[in-house]
Amino acid sequence: MTRICPATPAARAAPPAPAPLLCALALLLRAALAVEHVPMLLWSTQSSPWNPDTALHEGHIVSTQELTKLLHPGFTQNSRNLILFLQDTLSIDDFTYLSESYGTKNPFQNIQEILQSSPSSLLLPAVDCKATRYLLSFLQESGNWKLTNITTLDVSQLQVNTSKPNLLLVQLQPPVSGLSEISALEAIAENDKVIGRLTTDLQEKGINFSVIYTAVRPSRISRRTDVVWESRRQLMATEEEDSSSYPPLDVTTGNATCILFYARNFSLIANSSVLIDLTNATFVTKNVVISSSECSDTNTTLSLKYTKPVNGISSLEIRFLMTNKFYGGSARNWSTIDSIEIVQDEEKFAKFNVSVISAPAEYSFHCQLVGTSNLYPARLIPSNNEAKNWQVFISGLQIQGFNIENNQFSYASDCTGFFTPGIWMGLVTSILLLWILTYGIHMIMQLTTNNRFDDPKGPALSVPQTE
């Protein structure tokens, strides 16, 4: 039996040392912040198949194992039609921040109405990003699903065979975080319309289904976990990449690297229906042939050849055509991507003209979003009829085709313009205030004082009206 000794007066005066408790709390907080998480919304046209009791206490981040256990009952329902709406970025704060920032505009109006009217729904505020990244693979392994990729906004022609389980994958438009928040609001509102249109169409056809709406990574939390512990932070500091990030693809001639290419997501959509994700094949597994790439001081071509990237396509080649020219206006050389070409099965040829992809020849080029969408900062414009059958999405692009030193990217020239709307607003306001100040100083300088005064002992001073 342990004896508890009474405290002496000196001991009673001294406060208990909180160091062990604070250290434990700090370690727990640091571990929680180190896990990236995204929200996940689930609803069904049937009674609730989920049991969230073990996964929804405050501050809990749903792991991969917990999500698997949570979703498994939904696969045993009589109707096994599942829709997966997958977005590039989403955070739980988006549901309140975007709605409150723009007044009457609610970008999640359809989702809110669906959740309120559905027989069962579930919101998971925090799901580990590792779980969402492998969600599609888990769903495909969990049952004999008929996978259907839906990439077009017109879903009225969708036909669902209810005699077998169906998994409908909808790749939603990514919010354009590199542009203004108004553009991000419009992108999310458009995704909300797609969700409402597809679910309403299936309900009108009398089809029972379950829905999962989530994202690959968060949109509003920093990847850096040490900013909480630092008392200072450098302005414009570069965020650290994930520990699982992959190196860029490099093309070498002899012992020198002449092309570097990196993308966080590199995907194509053929004929508005076939999704071709080339990210892993290009950067992770390296199932790509780059031997046809060409390098010189003035012209460089990055050639990426894939064998059977998806069913129905036996070969696919993507070319990035870059040039290095001297421009007298800036008195220096600039490297540009003039065009991007896609060759399918050595027969179908698609060509895109490129806008806003240029950088000083000594620099690399970086852009958050590059593709065929009008919302992207760097847009690919179809140059022939075949190009209209393709959609291109590249996020986190960085490329350099000239003047590479030490096998590393040079300083990056970003596609985002230096003069953002905020900077223009500040400049216009400053100029207006400066003009008011100048006008006030000018009016003060025009003031004059009297040079003659009345003498109480003499006659009254008479000032003519002309003075």
PDB file of all heavy atoms in Angstrom, residues 21 32 55 117-118 211 251 294 309 356 408 451 467:
ATOM      1  N   LEU A  21       2.509  17.438 -18.457  1.00  0.00           N
ATOM      2  CA  LEU A  21       1.194  17.508 -19.086  1.00  0.00           C
ATOM      3  C   LEU A  21       1.226  18.339 -20.353  1.00  0.00           C
ATOM      4  O   LEU A  21       0.663  17.968 -21.383  1.00  0.00           O
ATOM      5  CB  LEU A  21       0.183  18.081 -18.093  1.00  0.00           C
ATOM      6  CG  LEU A  21      -1.244  18.269 -18.620  1.00  0.00           C
ATOM      7  CD1 LEU A  21      -1.814  16.918 -19.055  1.00  0.00           C
ATOM      8  CD2 LEU A  21      -2.129  18.906 -17.560  1.00  0.00           C
ATOM      9  N   ALA A  32      -1.709  15.585 -34.362  1.00  0.00           N
ATOM     10  CA  ALA A  32      -2.983  15.822 -35.044  1.00  0.00           C
ATOM     11  C   ALA A  32      -2.805  16.765 -36.224  1.00  0.00           C
ATOM     12  O   ALA A  32      -3.392  16.578 -37.287  1.00  0.00           O
ATOM     13  CB  ALA A  32      -3.993  16.393 -34.052  1.00  0.00           C
ATOM     14  N   ALA A  55     -16.775   6.701 -34.637  1.00  0.00           N
ATOM     15  CA  ALA A  55     -15.869   7.501 -35.455  1.00  0.00           C
ATOM     16  C   ALA A  55     -16.151   8.982 -35.414  1.00  0.00           C
ATOM     17  O   ALA A  55     -15.498   9.729 -36.112  1.00  0.00           O
ATOM     18  CB  ALA A  55     -15.947   7.027 -36.908  1.00  0.00           C
ATOM     19  N   SER A 117     -33.226  16.281 -47.251  1.00  0.00           N
ATOM     20  CA  SER A 117     -34.342  15.462 -47.732  1.00  0.00           C
ATOM     21  C   SER A 117     -34.024  13.977 -47.805  1.00  0.00           C
ATOM     22  O   SER A 117     -34.933  13.164 -48.004  1.00  0.00           O
ATOM     23  CB  SER A 117     -34.787  15.954 -49.109  1.00  0.00           C
ATOM     24  OG  SER A 117     -33.722  15.857 -50.053  1.00  0.00           O
ATOM     25  N   SER A 118     -32.778  13.574 -47.673  1.00  0.00           N
ATOM     26  CA  SER A 118     -32.400  12.168 -47.803  1.00  0.00           C
ATOM     27  C   SER A 118     -32.845  11.386 -46.574  1.00  0.00           C
ATOM     28  O   SER A 118     -32.805  11.900 -45.450  1.00  0.00           O
ATOM     29  CB  SER A 118     -30.886  12.026 -47.984  1.00  0.00           C
ATOM     30  OG  SER A 118     -30.471  12.623 -49.197  1.00  0.00           O
ATOM     31  N   VAL A 211     -24.307   7.862 -52.015  1.00  0.00           N
ATOM     32  CA  VAL A 211     -23.396   8.875 -52.551  1.00  0.00           C
ATOM     33  C   VAL A 211     -22.273   9.128 -51.553  1.00  0.00           C
ATOM     34  O   VAL A 211     -22.502   9.173 -50.340  1.00  0.00           O
ATOM     35  CB  VAL A 211     -24.145  10.192 -52.848  1.00  0.00           C
ATOM     36  CG1 VAL A 211     -23.167  11.272 -53.325  1.00  0.00           C
ATOM     37  CG2 VAL A 211     -25.228   9.975 -53.889  1.00  0.00           C
ATOM     38  N   VAL A 251      15.184  14.122 -68.420  1.00  0.00           N
ATOM     39  CA  VAL A 251      15.707  13.636 -69.702  1.00  0.00           C
ATOM     40  C   VAL A 251      17.162  14.051 -69.791  1.00  0.00           C
ATOM     41  O   VAL A 251      17.478  15.241 -69.641  1.00  0.00           O
ATOM     42  CB  VAL A 251      14.903  14.209 -70.888  1.00  0.00           C
ATOM     43  CG1 VAL A 251      15.485  13.718 -72.205  1.00  0.00           C
ATOM     44  CG2 VAL A 251      13.434  13.822 -70.776  1.00  0.00           C
ATOM     45  N   GLU A 294      13.962  15.363 -77.618  1.00  0.00           N
ATOM     46  CA  GLU A 294      15.076  16.021 -78.297  1.00  0.00           C
ATOM     47  C   GLU A 294      15.448  17.290 -77.552  1.00  0.00           C
ATOM     48  O   GLU A 294      14.577  18.015 -77.072  1.00  0.00           O
ATOM     49  CB  GLU A 294      14.710  16.352 -79.749  1.00  0.00           C
ATOM     50  CG  GLU A 294      14.372  15.136 -80.590  1.00  0.00           C
ATOM     51  CD  GLU A 294      13.943  15.520 -81.999  1.00  0.00           C
ATOM     52  OE1 GLU A 294      13.848  16.740 -82.257  1.00  0.00           O
ATOM     53  OE2 GLU A 294      13.705  14.614 -82.820  1.00  0.00           O
ATOM     54  N   PRO A 309      -2.306   2.778 -71.836  1.00  0.00           N
ATOM     55  CA  PRO A 309      -2.584   3.495 -70.583  1.00  0.00           C
ATOM     56  C   PRO A 309      -3.947   3.154 -70.002  1.00  0.00           C
ATOM     57  O   PRO A 309      -4.110   3.120 -68.785  1.00  0.00           O
ATOM     58  CB  PRO A 309      -2.492   4.969 -70.987  1.00  0.00           C
ATOM     59  CG  PRO A 309      -2.782   4.968 -72.471  1.00  0.00           C
ATOM     60  CD  PRO A 309      -2.219   3.678 -72.990  1.00  0.00           C
ATOM     61  N   VAL A 356       0.400  31.771 -72.129  1.00  0.00           N
ATOM     62  CA  VAL A 356       0.942  32.193 -70.828  1.00  0.00           C
ATOM     63  C   VAL A 356       1.948  31.204 -70.249  1.00  0.00           C
ATOM     64  O   VAL A 356       2.185  31.205 -69.057  1.00  0.00           O
ATOM     65  CB  VAL A 356      -0.190  32.437 -69.794  1.00  0.00           C
ATOM     66  CG1 VAL A 356       0.306  33.331 -68.650  1.00  0.00           C
ATOM     67  CG2 VAL A 356      -1.386  33.086 -70.422  1.00  0.00           C
ATOM     68  N   GLN A 408      18.818  20.133 -61.246  1.00  0.00           N
ATOM     69  CA  GLN A 408      17.741  20.649 -60.433  1.00  0.00           C
ATOM     70  C   GLN A 408      17.021  21.785 -61.147  1.00  0.00           C
ATOM     71  O   GLN A 408      17.597  22.454 -62.021  1.00  0.00           O
ATOM     72  CB  GLN A 408      18.261  21.147 -59.072  1.00  0.00           C
ATOM     73  CG  GLN A 408      18.851  20.065 -58.190  1.00  0.00           C
ATOM     74  CD  GLN A 408      19.346  20.622 -56.873  1.00  0.00           C
ATOM     75  OE1 GLN A 408      19.445  21.827 -56.692  1.00  0.00           O
ATOM     76  NE2 GLN A 408      19.675  19.730 -55.943  1.00  0.00           N
ATOM     77  N   ASN A 451      -1.639  92.227 -45.106  1.00  0.00           N
ATOM     78  CA  ASN A 451      -0.383  92.958 -44.970  1.00  0.00           C
ATOM     79  C   ASN A 451      -0.590  94.360 -44.404  1.00  0.00           C
ATOM     80  O   ASN A 451       0.351  95.136 -44.282  1.00  0.00           O
ATOM     81  CB  ASN A 451       0.363  93.031 -46.295  1.00  0.00           C
ATOM     82  CG  ASN A 451      -0.506  93.626 -47.391  1.00  0.00           C
ATOM     83  OD1 ASN A 451      -1.635  94.055 -47.131  1.00  0.00           O
ATOM     84  ND2 ASN A 451       0.021  93.633 -48.617  1.00  0.00           N
ATOM     85  N   GLU A 467      -8.862  94.752 -54.064  1.00  0.00           N
ATOM     86  CA  GLU A 467      -7.860  93.985 -53.313  1.00  0.00           C
ATOM     87  C   GLU A 467      -8.466  92.814 -52.584  1.00  0.00           C
ATOM     88  O   GLU A 467      -7.767  92.037 -52.005  1.00  0.00           O
ATOM     89  CB  GLU A 467      -7.134  94.919 -52.347  1.00  0.00           C
ATOM     90  CG  GLU A 467      -6.379  96.034 -53.062  1.00  0.00           C
ATOM     91  CD  GLU A 467      -5.602  96.884 -52.075  1.00  0.00           C
ATOM     92  OE1 GLU A 467      -5.513  96.476 -50.887  1.00  0.00           O
ATOM     93  OE2 GLU A 467      -5.086  97.929 -52.470  1.00  0.00           O
TER      94      GLU A 467
END
